[in-house]
Amino acid sequence: MELIDSFSDHYGNRIFRVFRSSAAARKNQLRQHRHTEFEISLILSGSGLYRTETGNYDIRAGDVFLYSTNEFHCISDITPDAGQDCMELLNLQFSPALLAADGITDADPPLGVFFNRSEAFRNRLTRENPHTAEIRELILSVQTECVAKEPCYRTAVRDLIGRILTTVTRFYGYTNRDARTRPSLRYDENLRVAVAYIEEHLCEPLTLDGIIAAAHMTKTHFLAVFKSFYGMTTWDYINIRRIDRAMSLLAASNRTVLDIAVSCGYNNTANFNRIFRKVTGITPKEYRSSKKSTSDSSPS
């Protein structure tokens, strides 16, 4: 993975990153993963097969994929294409906090494409839709802004992502406009505190009561607001973040599975193995074996 840029809010919570990733040719390697952030991916080169919760998609250069938080996806097959033996992607990952602002009252907030989907939704944007080419250019413009880092570039990045989601909402029919499953995009400041507390104590014994106390919110309000903005429960968020850390340790070190489990906040391997399989679809040992059997860097 080649990190191009990332930035955080004033509590230190990462709210955006852009990176390029590549993976060598492979067949039927199921390395599913989930994120606590939204993801927009542009296929720069290569072809293959993407497996997602909404179905399987063939991949080719120029395709754009959208993924919500806690949404399973996996590039299982990569085939040589146009003389290249790998696939390259440009990925944008961002928290709902990136787009949150007081005073936004749109009936169809831009995150509706993630949380308020119609039956027509597909993870891969329709190739024939003329607006897909426009969205490709907007994604590349995000990369350009993050490389150049001109004054106010972070505001420009936020606006570009807003334009991408607005274009999808208006011209793809992917949003259910007859139902509201999420409130207007008001990000509770106390929620930022809660997320910062989780990240600071991620690998320690966390309790829901401790998180709520740090956020100075009632339990009912906290649980409702957290799930509303992240599309998952607090414990799902914690487990995905912990397993993400564990995956890095499994791939980059020879530490035992038990040692890694404990260092990521789990007190036994049975619980760690169960949650690891729930998040990734495979066991920690299978993941480590798959990473050692190939030198490619899987898309995240």
Side-chain angles (χ1 to χ4, degrees):
M1 183 184 82
E2 176 194 350
L3 180 65
I4 297 171
D5 194 26
S6 69
F7 44 87
S8 305
D9 64 17
H10 56 277
Y11 289 104
N13 302 319
R14 189 181 72 199
I15 58 174
F16 169 80
R17 69 172 176 170
V18 54
F19 59 94
R20 295 172 70 109
S21 56
S22 63
R26 64 187 186 216
K27 185 73 173 177
N28 291 326
Q29 291 191 16
L30 299 179
R31 298 181 192 165
Q32 76 176 46
H33 54 281
R34 304 169 188 268
H35 303 294
T36 56
E37 300 158 304
F38 306 117
E39 182 172 65
I40 302 173
S41 293
L42 170 63
I43 309 299
L44 299 173
S45 65
S47 59
L49 180 68
Y50 230 138
R51 300 176 187 267
T52 78
E53 292 185 10
T54 65
N56 298 336
Y57 302 90
D58 66 286
I59 307 169
R60 66 188 188 207
D63 282 341
V64 177
F65 288 84
L66 304 178
Y67 297 105
S68 186
T69 57
N70 199 25
E71 184 172 13
F72 150 76
H73 52 290
C74 168
I75 297 180
S76 62
D77 299 77
I78 298 175
T79 55
D81 182 43
Q84 295 183 329
D85 60 358
C86 68
M87 177 178 291
E88 294 188 352
L89 302 89
L90 179 63
N91 303 285
L92 313 180
Q93 291 182 347
F94 55 97
S95 160
L98 178 71
L99 299 179
D102 291 337
I104 292 180
T105 56
D106 281 349
D108 296 305
L111 294 182
V113 69
F114 297 116
F115 286 145
N116 197 15
R117 294 170 171 174
S118 69
E119 293 183 359
F121 177 83
R122 297 294 181 268
N123 291 107
R124 187 187 67 200
L125 294 188
T126 307
R127 291 166 174 164
E128 296 75 19
N129 191 313
H131 294 282
T132 299
E134 175 188 349
I135 289 173
R136 289 190 204 108
E137 293 305 313
L138 290 171
I139 295 171
L140 292 172
S141 293
V142 171
Q143 175 182 236
T144 299
E145 287 286 349
C146 290
V147 170
K149 291 183 171 58
E150 296 288 348
C152 302
Y153 85 94
R154 293 180 178 180
T155 299
V157 166
R158 179 184 185 277
D159 291 345
L160 285 166
I161 291 177
R163 286 176 60 190
I164 291 169
L165 299 182
T166 298
T167 301
V168 174
T169 299
R170 289 180 175 178
F171 301 111
Y172 287 80
Y174 286 172
T175 301
N176 181 3
R177 300 187 181 186
D178 296 326
R180 291 288 307 284
T181 60
R182 292 294 184 275
S184 61
L185 200 59
R186 294 178 182 273
Y187 194 82
D188 195 310
E189 189 70 12
N190 288 346
L191 190 57
R192 297 181 191 270
V193 176
V195 172
Y197 179 88
I198 290 171
E199 295 296 335
E200 182 180 355
H201 301 280
L202 185 64
C203 297
E204 302 171 15
L206 281 166
T207 66
L208 190 58
D209 287 342
I211 297 168
I212 293 170
H216 300 289
M217 300 168 72
T218 66
K219 184 174 183 177
T220 300
H221 182 58
F222 173 79
L223 294 177
V225 171
F226 192 98
K227 189 167 186 179
S228 175
F229 276 92
Y230 286 95
M232 67 184 85
T233 67
T234 309
W235 283 113
D236 282 341
Y237 179 97
I238 292 168
N239 283 324
I240 291 174
R241 294 288 296 117
R242 284 176 169 175
I243 296 305
D244 187 55
R245 172 178 167 79
M247 290 167 69
S248 297
L249 293 174
L250 286 165
S253 75
N254 292 319
R255 295 166 62 179
T256 66
V257 171
L258 176 59
D259 186 30
I260 290 174
V262 172
S263 71
C264 291
Y266 299 100
N267 56 15
N268 60 73
T269 54
N271 192 35
F272 175 63
N273 287 343
R274 178 180 61 82
I275 294 173
F276 194 99
R277 180 185 284 275
K278 178 182 178 182
V279 173
T280 69
I282 57 177
T283 68
K285 289 184 178 179
E286 288 171 337
Y287 177 78
R288 170 173 272 172
S289 177
S290 72
K291 295 299 288 185
K292 288 185 176 180
S293 67
T294 178
S295 61
D296 72 280
S297 174
S298 299
S300 298

mmCIF file of all heavy atoms in Angstrom, residues 17 48 52 56 59 69 89 95 114 144 156 172 186 202 205 232 234 242 255-256 268 275 279 282:
data_model
loop_
_atom_site.group_PDB
_atom_site.id
_atom_site.type_symbol
_atom_site.label_atom_id
_atom_site.label_comp_id
_atom_site.label_asym_id
_atom_site.label_seq_id
_atom_site.Cartn_x
_atom_site.Cartn_y
_atom_site.Cartn_z
ATOM 1 N N ARG A 17 -8.301 9.109 4.296
ATOM 2 C CA ARG A 17 -7.006 8.743 3.733
ATOM 3 C C ARG A 17 -7.192 8.337 2.279
ATOM 4 O O ARG A 17 -8.255 7.850 1.880
ATOM 5 C CB ARG A 17 -6.321 7.624 4.518
ATOM 6 C CG ARG A 17 -6.967 6.253 4.440
ATOM 7 C CD ARG A 17 -6.069 5.217 5.109
ATOM 8 N NE ARG A 17 -6.692 3.900 5.148
ATOM 9 C CZ ARG A 17 -6.057 2.785 5.496
ATOM 10 N NH1 ARG A 17 -4.772 2.830 5.833
ATOM 11 N NH2 ARG A 17 -6.683 1.622 5.515
ATOM 12 N N GLY A 48 -10.338 -8.780 -13.109
ATOM 13 C CA GLY A 48 -10.521 -9.870 -12.161
ATOM 14 C C GLY A 48 -11.952 -9.984 -11.709
ATOM 15 O O GLY A 48 -12.891 -9.664 -12.453
ATOM 16 N N THR A 52 -18.824 -9.312 -3.292
ATOM 17 C CA THR A 52 -19.375 -8.378 -2.320
ATOM 18 C C THR A 52 -20.696 -8.911 -1.790
ATOM 19 O O THR A 52 -21.193 -9.945 -2.240
ATOM 20 C CB THR A 52 -19.620 -6.989 -2.946
ATOM 21 O OG1 THR A 52 -20.822 -7.033 -3.728
ATOM 22 C CG2 THR A 52 -18.454 -6.560 -3.828
ATOM 23 N N ASN A 56 -21.348 -10.728 -7.253
ATOM 24 C CA ASN A 56 -20.002 -10.797 -7.815
ATOM 25 C C ASN A 56 -19.918 -9.903 -9.050
ATOM 26 O O ASN A 56 -20.848 -9.855 -9.859
ATOM 27 C CB ASN A 56 -19.655 -12.234 -8.197
ATOM 28 C CG ASN A 56 -19.641 -13.166 -6.995
ATOM 29 O OD1 ASN A 56 -19.455 -12.731 -5.858
ATOM 30 N ND2 ASN A 56 -19.840 -14.451 -7.241
ATOM 31 N N ILE A 59 -14.161 -7.189 -13.005
ATOM 32 C CA ILE A 59 -13.438 -5.927 -12.825
ATOM 33 C C ILE A 59 -12.642 -5.612 -14.076
ATOM 34 O O ILE A 59 -12.035 -6.501 -14.683
ATOM 35 C CB ILE A 59 -12.441 -6.028 -11.645
ATOM 36 C CG1 ILE A 59 -13.131 -6.524 -10.380
ATOM 37 C CG2 ILE A 59 -11.754 -4.689 -11.397
ATOM 38 C CD1 ILE A 59 -12.143 -6.887 -9.277
ATOM 39 N N THR A 69 -19.603 1.200 5.541
ATOM 40 C CA THR A 69 -18.940 0.666 6.720
ATOM 41 C C THR A 69 -19.431 -0.758 6.978
ATOM 42 O O THR A 69 -20.578 -1.093 6.698
ATOM 43 C CB THR A 69 -19.258 1.529 7.950
ATOM 44 O OG1 THR A 69 -20.690 1.581 8.120
ATOM 45 C CG2 THR A 69 -18.732 2.942 7.788
ATOM 46 N N LEU A 89 -5.130 -0.071 -7.762
ATOM 47 C CA LEU A 89 -6.328 0.642 -7.349
ATOM 48 C C LEU A 89 -5.952 1.956 -6.673
ATOM 49 O O LEU A 89 -4.889 2.068 -6.064
ATOM 50 C CB LEU A 89 -7.158 -0.181 -6.359
ATOM 51 C CG LEU A 89 -7.658 -1.555 -6.771
ATOM 52 C CD1 LEU A 89 -6.637 -2.625 -6.427
ATOM 53 C CD2 LEU A 89 -8.979 -1.865 -6.063
ATOM 54 N N SER A 95 -14.402 8.797 7.048
ATOM 55 C CA SER A 95 -15.387 8.690 8.118
ATOM 56 C C SER A 95 -16.572 9.594 7.806
ATOM 57 O O SER A 95 -16.430 10.591 7.087
ATOM 58 C CB SER A 95 -14.738 9.121 9.438
ATOM 59 O OG SER A 95 -15.704 9.479 10.396
ATOM 60 N N PHE A 114 -24.863 5.062 1.032
ATOM 61 C CA PHE A 114 -24.324 4.017 1.891
ATOM 62 C C PHE A 114 -25.371 3.455 2.842
ATOM 63 O O PHE A 114 -25.381 2.266 3.142
ATOM 64 C CB PHE A 114 -23.151 4.564 2.711
ATOM 65 C CG PHE A 114 -21.980 5.006 1.884
ATOM 66 C CD1 PHE A 114 -21.595 6.342 1.863
ATOM 67 C CD2 PHE A 114 -21.260 4.104 1.128
ATOM 68 C CE1 PHE A 114 -20.511 6.758 1.113
ATOM 69 C CE2 PHE A 114 -20.175 4.506 0.365
ATOM 70 C CZ PHE A 114 -19.799 5.836 0.360
ATOM 71 N N THR A 144 -4.885 14.371 -6.849
ATOM 72 C CA THR A 144 -4.093 15.539 -7.242
ATOM 73 C C THR A 144 -4.011 16.556 -6.111
ATOM 74 O O THR A 144 -2.939 17.102 -5.817
ATOM 75 C CB THR A 144 -4.707 16.193 -8.495
ATOM 76 O OG1 THR A 144 -4.700 15.250 -9.574
ATOM 77 C CG2 THR A 144 -3.917 17.426 -8.903
ATOM 78 N N ALA A 156 -10.988 21.291 -0.175
ATOM 79 C CA ALA A 156 -11.240 20.874 -1.556
ATOM 80 C C ALA A 156 -11.531 19.378 -1.628
ATOM 81 O O ALA A 156 -12.424 18.937 -2.360
ATOM 82 C CB ALA A 156 -10.047 21.229 -2.438
ATOM 83 N N TYR A 172 -27.972 7.840 -10.381
ATOM 84 C CA TYR A 172 -27.841 6.387 -10.463
ATOM 85 C C TYR A 172 -29.042 5.625 -9.911
ATOM 86 O O TYR A 172 -29.134 4.414 -10.103
ATOM 87 C CB TYR A 172 -26.568 5.928 -9.741
ATOM 88 C CG TYR A 172 -25.310 6.258 -10.505
ATOM 89 C CD1 TYR A 172 -24.768 7.539 -10.466
ATOM 90 C CD2 TYR A 172 -24.667 5.306 -11.286
ATOM 91 C CE1 TYR A 172 -23.621 7.859 -11.175
ATOM 92 C CE2 TYR A 172 -23.520 5.606 -12.004
ATOM 93 C CZ TYR A 172 -23.003 6.894 -11.943
ATOM 94 O OH TYR A 172 -21.868 7.208 -12.656
ATOM 95 N N ARG A 186 -25.764 15.500 11.121
ATOM 96 C CA ARG A 186 -25.267 16.271 12.259
ATOM 97 C C ARG A 186 -24.417 15.336 13.118
ATOM 98 O O ARG A 186 -24.919 14.387 13.694
ATOM 99 C CB ARG A 186 -26.422 16.838 13.078
ATOM 100 C CG ARG A 186 -27.240 17.880 12.338
ATOM 101 C CD ARG A 186 -28.395 18.356 13.210
ATOM 102 N NE ARG A 186 -29.219 19.326 12.507
ATOM 103 C CZ ARG A 186 -28.989 20.625 12.491
ATOM 104 N NH1 ARG A 186 -27.944 21.109 13.132
ATOM 105 N NH2 ARG A 186 -29.777 21.448 11.831
ATOM 106 N N LEU A 202 -7.839 1.205 22.399
ATOM 107 C CA LEU A 202 -8.319 0.123 21.542
ATOM 108 C C LEU A 202 -7.840 -1.251 21.994
ATOM 109 O O LEU A 202 -8.603 -2.223 21.959
ATOM 110 C CB LEU A 202 -7.868 0.373 20.096
ATOM 111 C CG LEU A 202 -8.384 -0.610 19.047
ATOM 112 C CD1 LEU A 202 -9.902 -0.524 18.927
ATOM 113 C CD2 LEU A 202 -7.738 -0.335 17.691
ATOM 114 N N PRO A 205 -8.692 -3.393 27.854
ATOM 115 C CA PRO A 205 -10.036 -3.909 28.162
ATOM 116 C C PRO A 205 -11.072 -2.775 28.146
ATOM 117 O O PRO A 205 -11.205 -2.030 29.110
ATOM 118 C CB PRO A 205 -9.883 -4.504 29.567
ATOM 119 C CG PRO A 205 -8.423 -4.735 29.737
ATOM 120 C CD PRO A 205 -7.756 -3.635 28.971
ATOM 121 N N MET A 232 -23.049 0.504 12.266
ATOM 122 C CA MET A 232 -22.692 -0.715 12.992
ATOM 123 C C MET A 232 -22.751 -0.427 14.483
ATOM 124 O O MET A 232 -22.811 0.730 14.903
ATOM 125 C CB MET A 232 -21.282 -1.182 12.602
ATOM 126 C CG MET A 232 -20.169 -0.242 13.045
ATOM 127 S SD MET A 232 -18.526 -0.756 12.488
ATOM 128 C CE MET A 232 -18.527 -0.027 10.853
ATOM 129 N N THR A 234 -21.254 -0.357 18.391
ATOM 130 C CA THR A 234 -19.961 0.060 18.942
ATOM 131 C C THR A 234 -18.985 -1.105 18.979
ATOM 132 O O THR A 234 -17.801 -0.961 18.644
ATOM 133 C CB THR A 234 -20.149 0.626 20.361
ATOM 134 O OG1 THR A 234 -21.186 1.609 20.346
ATOM 135 C CG2 THR A 234 -18.866 1.251 20.867
ATOM 136 N N ARG A 242 -9.703 -3.622 15.864
ATOM 137 C CA ARG A 242 -8.730 -4.519 16.488
ATOM 138 C C ARG A 242 -8.219 -5.563 15.497
ATOM 139 O O ARG A 242 -7.017 -5.850 15.448
ATOM 140 C CB ARG A 242 -9.366 -5.212 17.695
ATOM 141 C CG ARG A 242 -9.491 -4.329 18.933
ATOM 142 C CD ARG A 242 -10.226 -5.049 20.049
ATOM 143 N NE ARG A 242 -10.122 -4.326 21.318
ATOM 144 C CZ ARG A 242 -10.754 -4.679 22.435
ATOM 145 N NH1 ARG A 242 -11.547 -5.749 22.428
ATOM 146 N NH2 ARG A 242 -10.600 -3.978 23.547
ATOM 147 N N ARG A 255 5.278 -13.166 15.768
ATOM 148 C CA ARG A 255 4.700 -13.319 17.101
ATOM 149 C C ARG A 255 3.613 -14.387 17.081
ATOM 150 O O ARG A 255 2.944 -14.592 16.070
ATOM 151 C CB ARG A 255 4.127 -11.981 17.577
ATOM 152 C CG ARG A 255 5.194 -10.914 17.778
ATOM 153 C CD ARG A 255 4.592 -9.532 17.923
ATOM 154 N NE ARG A 255 3.729 -9.413 19.093
ATOM 155 C CZ ARG A 255 3.105 -8.288 19.427
ATOM 156 N NH1 ARG A 255 3.247 -7.194 18.674
ATOM 157 N NH2 ARG A 255 2.339 -8.251 20.502
ATOM 158 N N THR A 256 3.416 -15.059 18.206
ATOM 159 C CA THR A 256 2.402 -16.102 18.268
ATOM 160 C C THR A 256 1.009 -15.501 18.157
ATOM 161 O O THR A 256 0.800 -14.306 18.437
ATOM 162 C CB THR A 256 2.493 -16.886 19.590
ATOM 163 O OG1 THR A 256 2.146 -16.010 20.675
ATOM 164 C CG2 THR A 256 3.899 -17.446 19.794
ATOM 165 N N ASN A 268 -8.098 -14.324 25.111
ATOM 166 C CA ASN A 268 -7.855 -15.729 24.784
ATOM 167 C C ASN A 268 -7.959 -15.925 23.277
ATOM 168 O O ASN A 268 -8.584 -15.125 22.570
ATOM 169 C CB ASN A 268 -8.830 -16.655 25.526
ATOM 170 C CG ASN A 268 -10.281 -16.370 25.174
ATOM 171 O OD1 ASN A 268 -10.736 -16.693 24.079
ATOM 172 N ND2 ASN A 268 -11.014 -15.746 26.111
ATOM 173 N N ILE A 275 -13.796 -13.980 16.374
ATOM 174 C CA ILE A 275 -14.043 -12.643 15.839
ATOM 175 C C ILE A 275 -13.238 -12.411 14.563
ATOM 176 O O ILE A 275 -13.723 -11.790 13.610
ATOM 177 C CB ILE A 275 -13.727 -11.583 16.912
ATOM 178 C CG1 ILE A 275 -14.719 -11.724 18.074
ATOM 179 C CG2 ILE A 275 -13.789 -10.176 16.324
ATOM 180 C CD1 ILE A 275 -14.422 -10.848 19.258
ATOM 181 N N VAL A 279 -14.877 -11.343 10.911
ATOM 182 C CA VAL A 279 -14.522 -10.135 10.166
ATOM 183 C C VAL A 279 -13.908 -10.463 8.810
ATOM 184 O O VAL A 279 -14.198 -9.799 7.808
ATOM 185 C CB VAL A 279 -13.551 -9.262 10.992
ATOM 186 C CG1 VAL A 279 -13.025 -8.088 10.166
ATOM 187 C CG2 VAL A 279 -14.251 -8.745 12.247
ATOM 188 N N ILE A 282 -11.725 -16.011 7.449
ATOM 189 C CA ILE A 282 -10.714 -17.051 7.632
ATOM 190 C C ILE A 282 -10.127 -16.931 9.038
ATOM 191 O O ILE A 282 -10.379 -15.959 9.748
ATOM 192 C CB ILE A 282 -9.581 -16.952 6.583
ATOM 193 C CG1 ILE A 282 -8.922 -15.567 6.628
ATOM 194 C CG2 ILE A 282 -10.105 -17.254 5.191
ATOM 195 C CD1 ILE A 282 -7.750 -15.417 5.663
#
